[in-house]
Amino acid sequence: MTRTTSSSHSLKPLPTPLAMSRAPADPTASPIPHLASASKDDNEQLTRPHPKPSMPTPKLLLKVTDLTHEGARVFFKTTDPATVLSDAVTTVLQTLYNPLESQKTIPGTRSITLILRPMDGVAYTQGSDLDEDHKEIHFSLDYIAQYATATSKRQQDEIAGVLVHEMVHAWQWNALGTAPGGLVEGIADFVRLRAGLSPPHWKKEAGGDWDAGYQHTAYFLEWIEGQFGNESVMRINENLRGGKYVERSFWIGLFGETVENLWMKYTKELESTAELSDVSSVTKVESRASEHET
């Protein structure tokens, strides 16, 4: 139980107003407080942390020429345009660039417009009529419509995968236009591969030329990363900036070997792995046959 008490309070008289005080004839200065010298620890605490490095954030735009197209229906049923484009930008920049060097090495792309329209092929990227700092990604509604009967997950992955590939072309370097087209396209598919968006039909192939492009070259670049470190493709892209491509010195300067030697090692490794796989498959078949006979 809480006890309450009551008491009467008498009113106190109001204080009489005071006259304004007059300044002394000879004012004295206030003493200056003594400040101790800051220690090293104090200075470290007062030092503000540097802001975290940031990647570019271009303006993202969308244009659809036919909203009634089956491809448009598939696209908007499974895809949020702002999210898929923003994620593609982040994926590309984090794969190809070091954030600490972003202000000096990343192209000055200011806007990216996704244009969905009926056309042949799959997609392509180009500079806008304004200038090269404004990019356009043209994506075929006819191609998207081919996935109308696919699962929702397959539709999402294919749309996102194509957009990641094309987004690479909005940010990568190409040695002033002298880099092999197969290397340029291979880097784009490497980023798609690294993002986990490779389609089911992709596979590693030992034959042909190293710069055949697309997934053929992408898997070769993935092998290079396994041999020389996870930033190898980042280094390749950086060395395609600002100068013309000279194949022999380009690859020797990066990895100490010609690209032909690297490709030979890669293909031998694939062939060896394929032979081991074939031997393993034959062994399993023979084993099952012997078990059936017994």
Side-chain angles (χ1 to χ4, degrees):
M1 174 181 255
T2 302
R3 180 179 295 178
T4 60
T5 60
S6 61
S7 63
S8 60
H9 298 277
S10 58
L11 296 175
K12 296 181 180 180
L14 294 173
T16 57
L18 300 176
M20 293 182 63
S21 59
R22 295 162 56 183
D26 297 319
T28 57
S30 300
I32 299 176
H34 174 70
L35 296 178
S37 58
S39 65
K40 179 180 179 182
D41 292 338
D42 293 333
N43 287 331
E44 290 178 350
Q45 292 177 358
L46 293 174
T47 302
R48 294 182 179 179
H50 293 290
K52 293 182 179 180
S54 59
M55 291 293 192
T57 53
K59 188 173 185 179
L60 302 175
L61 306 169
L62 175 66
K63 178 180 179 181
V64 186
T65 63
D66 185 359
L67 282 171
T68 66
H69 196 287
E70 178 68 9
R73 185 191 67 79
V74 172
F75 182 90
F76 288 106
K77 183 185 73 172
T78 61
T79 305
D80 175 61
T83 299
V84 74
L85 288 173
S86 179
D87 288 349
V89 171
T90 299
T91 296
V92 170
L93 295 181
Q94 288 182 347
T95 305
L96 294 184
Y97 294 98
N98 184 333
L100 296 176
E101 301 291 331
S102 62
Q103 300 302 319
K104 296 185 292 184
T105 63
I106 299 181
T109 301
R110 298 170 58 189
S111 73
I112 298 166
T113 302
L114 172 61
I115 301 175
L116 302 175
R117 64 183 182 88
M119 67 178 194
D120 294 333
V122 179
Y124 67 89
T125 300
Q126 66 179 19
S128 72
D129 293 336
L130 186 59
D131 59 45
E132 284 296 318
D133 288 343
H134 298 270
K135 303 293 185 181
E136 294 178 351
I137 296 176
H138 294 249
F139 197 173
S140 170
L141 288 174
D142 297 326
Y143 178 78
I144 298 173
Q146 296 177 20
Y147 289 83
T149 59
T151 65
S152 178
K153 179 66 165 59
R154 184 72 194 93
Q155 291 170 347
Q156 290 175 354
D157 286 351
E158 184 62 21
I159 290 171
V162 170
L163 289 176
V164 165
H165 175 105
E166 294 303 325
M167 191 65 72
V168 172
H169 296 324
W171 297 98
Q172 71 184 145
W173 297 107
N174 62 6
L176 305 178
T178 64
L183 177 58
V184 171
E185 297 295 343
I187 290 174
D189 265 358
F190 167 82
V191 177
R192 179 178 180 176
L193 177 65
R194 179 58 62 88
L197 295 170
S198 59
H201 66 272
W202 280 17
K203 62 179 181 179
K204 299 177 182 179
E205 299 170 325
D209 298 326
W210 74 269
D211 58 350
Y214 299 100
Q215 74 269 17
H216 184 78
T217 302
Y219 281 115
F220 175 48
L221 295 174
E222 181 186 51
W223 176 84
I224 287 177
E225 290 241 324
Q227 299 295 310
F228 299 97
N230 287 333
E231 294 186 352
S232 295
V233 174
M234 187 184 294
R235 292 166 57 203
I236 289 173
N237 179 64
E238 169 61 20
N239 278 267
L240 291 173
R241 178 174 66 94
K244 293 186 176 181
Y245 175 84
V246 180
E247 187 160 279
R248 180 177 176 82
S249 60
F250 181 87
W251 293 93
I252 291 177
L254 281 170
F255 307 116
E257 298 183 60
T258 64
V259 69
E260 289 80 10
N261 285 343
L262 293 170
W263 178 251
M264 182 177 61
K265 291 180 179 180
Y266 168 70
T267 55
K268 284 184 177 180
E269 187 172 304
L270 285 185
E271 290 167 355
S272 175
T273 302
E275 290 173 0
L276 290 174
S277 178
D278 291 341
V279 170
S280 177
S281 298
V282 170
T283 302
K284 288 180 180 179
V285 171
E286 292 176 346
S287 176
R288 290 174 182 172
S290 62
E291 289 175 359
H292 182 72
E293 290 174 359
T294 58

